[in-house]
Amino acid sequence: MTDNNAKVWLITGSSTGFGCSLSEAVLKRGDRVVATARRPEQLSELVDQYPQTVKTIRLDVTDLQEVHDAVQTALDAFGQVDVLVNNAGYGVLGAIEEISDEAIRRQFETNVFGALNMMRAVLPTMRQQRSGHILNLSSVGGFVSFAGAGIYNGTKFALEGLSEALAKEVEPLGIKVTIVEPGAFRTDFNGRSLALPDQTLEDYAPTSGQMLEWIQEMDGQQPGDPDKAAAAMIQAVESKNPPLRLALGADAVSAIHEKLESVKAELDAWEQIAVNTAFEGVEVGAVGRH
Ligand SMILES: NC(=O)c1ccc[n+]([C@@H]2O[C@H](COP(=O)([O-])OP(=O)(O)OC[C@H]3O[C@@H](n4cnc5c(N)ncnc54)[C@H](OP(=O)(O)O)[C@@H]3O)[C@@H](O)[C@H]2O)c1
């Protein structure tokens, strides 16, 4: 039986990892899901198990037509979209100088423009509904940068900047935005999904090279359980006051604390120089306030 009060989720990258765990978890609790993948045949088990409440469709988030088709599928099947999960993404590793222009652009196309495509396609529906929740899978690397992950960090910082502004734009319209910042979780991220640098330069062996080794060694050993991450994301969606940022994993939490402290210490140390830069006699207000 379909519960018509059940939420409708649209999830990108449902084939493996977080997207797979989350699709299964929300279906298990009785919600309805448009599960998407570049190879939708990977989702056939979900269809067998939940024939009434799951719809699947091919979706590469870089293909605008497929993006609009996925949103339309949700509307045709279930009449609404309550939760969009921008999960599809991958990591390019290597020093900034080591990665080709093409690989950099591909990384931004998926992690930034792909998520942006989805948000912009779903917003007219959510605005009309005056409700909805957008979950954007960023990373601890969307708040803290690491040597050897600069391009990936750039995409996730961009996603966080977009999400933070969007949250302020759509909050008065009844729509919520949550940025999810996982640490290391046991998915395909460190394995088949990883894009390695086109060349490696000896000068970066102690910085980027070390990171690359660590990430690859960590494959299959990551402490984070994607099923538990899915449960935490559901809890955030169900919360009366969902967080703007949801860090996941003790590793993410401690790296974010460390960054906040170092930013605060540096801001304090340079404050006198920073604040003495206005024209004489001009009063300075907060950014963006009249
Ligand atoms: N696992 C971690 O430690 C970790 C930490 C922080 C953030 N994240 C973020 O979590 C998200 C999910 O990754 P994961 O850890 O679950 O890794 P994963 O198991 O490798 O899953 C990645 C998913 O993204 C899909 N994908 C990649 N490019 C796509 C595109 N152009 N269009 C549609 N789907 C695409 C993949 O589809 P295919 O099956 O077709 O390749 C797959 O379903 C990513 O945004 C990642 O940056 C992961």
Side-chain angles (χ1 to χ4, degrees):
M1 275 289 289
T2 304
D3 170 5
N4 284 328
N5 293 319
K7 284 195 164 61
V8 176
W9 297 64
L10 171 55
I11 302 176
T12 67
S14 303
S15 61
T16 59
F18 292 128
C20 176
S21 289
L22 192 60
S23 299
E24 283 176 2
V26 289
L27 285 165
K28 202 167 175 185
R29 69 200 296 275
D31 283 350
R32 296 168 286 173
V33 179
V34 175
T36 68
R38 289 188 287 193
R39 281 165 297 144
E41 61 276 14
Q42 289 175 290
L43 308 173
S44 60
E45 267 182 42
L46 280 185
V47 180
D48 292 343
Q49 218 177 336
Y50 301 98
Q52 303 292 325
T53 50
V54 73
K55 289 280 170 229
T56 60
I57 185 167
R58 188 196 131 79
L59 172 59
D60 180 326
V61 293
T62 64
D63 183 322
L64 209 47
Q65 186 58 51
E66 291 186 1
V67 165
H68 285 284
D69 289 349
V71 175
Q72 198 54 51
T73 298
L75 295 177
D76 291 346
F78 305 125
Q80 64 202 66
V81 181
D82 299 305
V83 189
L84 163 67
V85 185
N86 272 316
N87 163 73
Y90 69 98
V92 170
L93 280 193
I96 285 171
E97 211 188 323
E98 291 173 334
I99 303 170
S100 69
D101 290 353
E102 200 209 338
I104 292 171
R105 282 181 192 278
R106 209 177 315 124
Q107 173 80 134
F108 274 82
E109 276 300 332
T110 302
N111 291 8
V112 182
F113 292 105
L116 201 49
N117 288 342
M118 293 301 303
M119 290 190 267
R120 286 161 55 87
V122 103
L123 277 167
T125 298
M126 288 185 171
R127 274 192 298 109
Q128 204 176 18
Q129 293 170 177
R130 285 295 194 260
S131 70
H133 197 150
I134 296 174
L135 252 62
N136 284 334
L137 265 287
S138 172
S139 166
V140 60
F143 200 86
V144 184
S145 276
F146 302 93
I151 301 303
Y152 178 68
N153 292 141
T155 65
K156 295 300 190 182
F157 271 62
L159 185 59
E160 296 221 3
L162 293 165
S163 306
E164 215 174 279
L166 182 68
K168 291 172 182 165
E169 291 172 1
V170 298
E171 195 269 337
L173 308 175
I175 303 164
K176 306 203 178 331
V177 178
T178 295
I179 301 162
V180 184
E181 297 170 327
F185 276 76
R186 211 169 298 172
T187 68
D188 288 359
F189 184 84
N190 292 36
R192 70 164 183 101
S193 295
L194 209 60
L196 298 172
D198 305 89
Q199 52 163 342
T200 51
L201 302 171
E202 199 45 43
D203 281 347
Y204 295 113
T207 51
S208 172
Q210 288 270 318
M211 176 58 134
L212 239 161
E213 257 176 51
W214 182 78
I215 292 269
Q216 287 175 303
E217 277 168 20
M218 178 80 102
D219 189 24
Q221 312 295 321
Q222 302 95 323
D225 176 347
D227 289 345
K228 290 191 178 166
M233 289 186 243
I234 292 170
Q235 220 174 317
V237 168
E238 289 301 317
S239 158
K240 276 217 174 80
N241 288 309
L244 173 62
R245 285 189 167 78
L246 175 65
L248 294 176
D251 50 353
V253 170
S254 76
I256 291 169
H257 274 308
E258 214 174 282
K259 164 118 185 215
L260 289 172
E261 281 158 24
S262 82
V263 169
K264 167 99 176 70
E266 201 166 70
L267 194 65
D268 290 347
W270 286 81
E271 185 165 345
Q272 279 319 305
I273 289 166
V275 299
N276 285 320
T277 51
F279 287 104
E280 271 327 302
V282 173
E283 287 246 338
V284 183
V287 175
R289 298 226 182 98
H290 298 290

